[in-house]
Amino acid sequence: VATRVRGFEVDPFGAWMSQVFLETALLELCHRARQRLPLLVEVRDSLRTPDGMSARFDLVIGNPPYGRVQLKPELRRLYSRSLYGHANLYGLFTDLAVRLARPLGVIAYVTPTSFLGGQYFKSLRQLLARQAAPVNIDFVTARKGIFEDVLQETLLATYKCDARRRTASVHFIHTENEQRVSLGRAGSFQIPQNAAEPWLIPRSQDQQGLVRVLQMMPFRLKHYGYQVSTGPLVWNRHKSQLADSADIRALPLIWAECVTPDGRFIFRSEKKNHKPFVVPRPGDDWLICREPCVLVQRTTAKEQHRRIIAAELPRSFVSQRGGVVIENHLNMVRTVNGAVAVPPSVLTALLNSRIVDRAFRCLSGSVAVSAYELEALPLPDPGSLWELESALRQGADREEIEAVCEKLYGQPEKP
């Protein structure tokens, strides 16, 4: 044991506790050997000294810290291969684990799920695909009551340092009580050819077939003639410009609450500190949206009935005031050059469907509905949406529309 096990911990008390627990676990062995366990847990800032760890290991286990961190230039250079934009601590520790593992070695980590689809983790996904592909991913189904003061979605991942591996199994861990958990199989997934893209993974036991379909769908929002951006107004930076009345200079301010849970647009400002209008100042043209678009809520949780909640911002409403200002808790799905293959009303109905919600859950790893993930969402051939457009024109009810959308994904609606 003394020659094969090492521990690294930045906190001295945490390192001491780890050493004590390790010796407690091996107490009977130490008693028979008539000697104390040597010091195996070293106090070390592992991220800053990875090259100082001369040993490499068959197994690297960790429950790394998480959260955005500002990196000094030398650390950003050191971990540049796995960084894209903002750095997150657990991404750095995942890179560290790859450095510490031997060829064909195994990494076992407890982390949030956000690296599976987030834009800031695209380089990390490429690194894992090249050097330490996942063997198994176990999603912890509950967000509450698992780790104290933690609400992130969590997973247990096992990686093997073998670049040839492209397929991994997927399970769900259900916590029944403080003493018992159960494991359910969800299927498997393949790392896409472009590993930087979000990884499509079944998030429930009935999604394996859907994931196979999604992997074969080449169309994205760009093929429909749309792109996604975040609403530009951060309201607390423009407090003095918010207004209650619509004077000649004021424009409607579109809050997230204007997009209702059932996918309708209602102009309103009912929450605390919300006001219905904003008065642009000289140089604020970048805040103004002068064309209709599809609005999508930017933050939804997996416990909600729908992850994608969209509503069409009508041309008539925008034209009435010559423009609107949209705040940053909404995504704006806008035309690229004014020419679209699918009208906004049809796109809104598709995005609000149950099948698209299921598809989005297969690639999203956080509560954010990001522009990056929306643009990566697999969609049907735009030329095949004529039936959906016809159904909307004829006033079809919700279930008829759902059935059309299911067919577009080759997934017949279950009775």
Side-chain angles (χ1 to χ4, degrees):
V1 172
T3 59
R4 291 175 179 268
V5 177
R6 288 291 181 275
F8 306 113
E9 169 58 53
V10 71
D11 176 60
F13 181 71
W16 174 80
M17 283 185 63
S18 300
Q19 179 73 25
V20 169
F21 289 144
L22 182 58
E23 193 162 19
T24 301
L26 299 173
L27 187 59
E28 184 179 339
L29 182 61
C30 293
H31 181 72
R32 290 206 306 267
R34 296 184 178 181
Q35 67 180 79
R36 297 285 300 273
L37 191 69
L39 185 65
L40 300 183
V41 183
E42 181 181 342
V43 178
R44 178 195 286 268
D45 185 345
S46 304
L47 290 179
R48 296 184 180 279
T49 55
D51 296 332
M53 302 176 188
S54 55
R56 298 186 74 188
F57 300 90
D58 296 306
L59 175 62
V60 181
I61 298 176
N63 179 4
Y66 61 89
R68 283 188 185 182
V69 60
Q70 293 284 342
L71 295 180
K72 293 184 177 179
E74 61 270 19
L75 272 184
R76 181 162 284 277
R77 285 193 297 270
L78 183 60
Y79 292 98
S80 60
R81 67 178 188 172
S82 61
L83 290 174
Y84 181 89
H86 296 296
N88 193 300
L89 276 171
Y90 84 86
L92 300 178
F93 274 93
T94 303
D95 185 334
L96 175 65
V98 176
R99 295 167 191 261
L100 293 177
R102 288 178 177 151
L104 301 183
V106 172
I107 300 166
Y109 260 25
V110 182
T111 70
T113 60
S114 50
F115 78 94
L116 297 174
Q119 183 177 23
Y120 296 135
F121 296 97
K122 61 192 298 185
S123 295
L124 179 63
R125 289 193 292 273
Q126 288 176 310
L127 172 66
L128 291 172
R130 288 195 310 268
Q131 297 192 30
V135 176
N136 187 73
I137 287 181
D138 294 340
F139 291 101
V140 180
T141 56
R143 287 199 301 150
K144 297 180 180 179
I146 305 299
F147 299 105
E148 188 174 1
D149 298 325
V150 174
L151 285 180
Q152 273 82 358
E153 292 185 60
T154 309
L155 60 77
L156 282 65
T158 307
Y159 309 90
K160 190 167 186 179
C161 294
D162 179 0
R164 295 170 298 175
R165 180 178 292 276
R166 305 291 295 186
T167 303
S169 58
V170 183
H171 298 83
F172 296 94
I173 299 175
H174 303 276
T175 54
E176 299 177 11
N177 53 52
E178 291 185 358
Q179 303 296 325
R180 182 177 176 81
V181 299
S182 61
L183 190 69
R185 179 171 173 79
S188 62
F189 81 96
Q190 285 191 325
I191 296 175
Q193 287 299 316
N194 180 2
E197 295 178 351
W199 293 355
L200 289 162
I201 303 177
R203 301 303 179 94
S204 64
Q205 293 178 332
D206 63 347
Q207 287 183 348
Q208 182 69 69
L210 175 59
V211 166
R212 292 196 199 99
V213 171
L214 296 176
Q215 288 171 338
M216 301 297 291
M217 297 178 77
F219 298 101
R220 302 294 186 266
L221 276 172
K222 66 181 181 181
H223 300 105
Y224 286 40
Y226 292 88
Q227 61 187 4
V228 187
S229 58
T230 301
L233 183 87
V234 180
W235 76 270
N236 56 5
R237 297 178 186 172
H238 298 268
K239 283 183 182 180
S240 62
Q241 296 172 246
L242 305 189
D244 289 309
S245 59
D247 70 25
I248 194 169
R249 299 169 300 153
L251 294 177
L253 176 50
I254 310 301
W255 301 92
E257 66 204 73
C258 296
V259 177
T260 68
D262 60 351
R264 292 175 296 129
F265 172 77
I266 300 176
F267 180 54
R268 56 185 177 176
S269 55
E270 299 170 351
K271 295 187 177 180
K272 185 179 179 181
N273 297 322
H274 288 193
K275 294 188 177 183
F277 298 96
V278 60
V279 180
R281 292 173 177 166
D284 280 349
D285 284 353
W286 61 279
L287 291 174
I288 303 172
C289 175
R290 303 188 188 278
E291 295 293 331
C293 63
V294 178
L295 302 173
V296 180
Q297 297 276 7
R298 274 191 66 208
T299 305
T300 57
K302 71 173 186 177
E303 294 83 4
Q304 289 181 228
H305 179 61
R306 290 216 313 263
R307 288 295 317 275
I308 296 186
I309 303 173
E312 181 183 2
L313 177 63
R315 180 179 296 276
S316 58
F317 184 86
V318 178
S319 301
Q320 185 178 12
R321 302 287 300 193
V324 299
V325 175
I326 299 170
E327 65 110 3
N328 73 328
H329 286 91
L330 287 169
N331 286 307
M332 307 157 59
V333 185
R334 300 194 288 182
T335 62
V336 176
N337 54 18
V340 295
V342 176
S345 59
V346 177
L347 177 60
T348 302
L350 180 66
L351 292 177
N352 279 330
S353 65
R354 287 193 291 264
I355 186 64
V356 168
D357 179 78
R358 290 174 59 206
F360 183 76
R361 290 173 188 266
C362 292
L363 64 79
S364 174
S366 72
V367 296
V369 180
S370 70
Y372 176 76
E373 289 172 325
L374 283 174
E375 290 183 341
L377 181 65
L379 295 171
D381 183 340
S384 68
L385 266 65
W386 60 268
E387 188 176 354
L388 177 58
E389 186 173 358
S390 176
L392 291 169
R393 193 182 306 116
Q394 295 173 22
D397 64 26
R398 183 71 252 170
E399 289 308 312
E400 290 174 314
I401 291 171
E402 292 288 358
V404 173
C405 293
E406 293 278 344
K407 191 162 65 171
L408 288 168
Y409 279 83
Q411 301 284 302
E413 181 89 325
K414 294 182 176 62

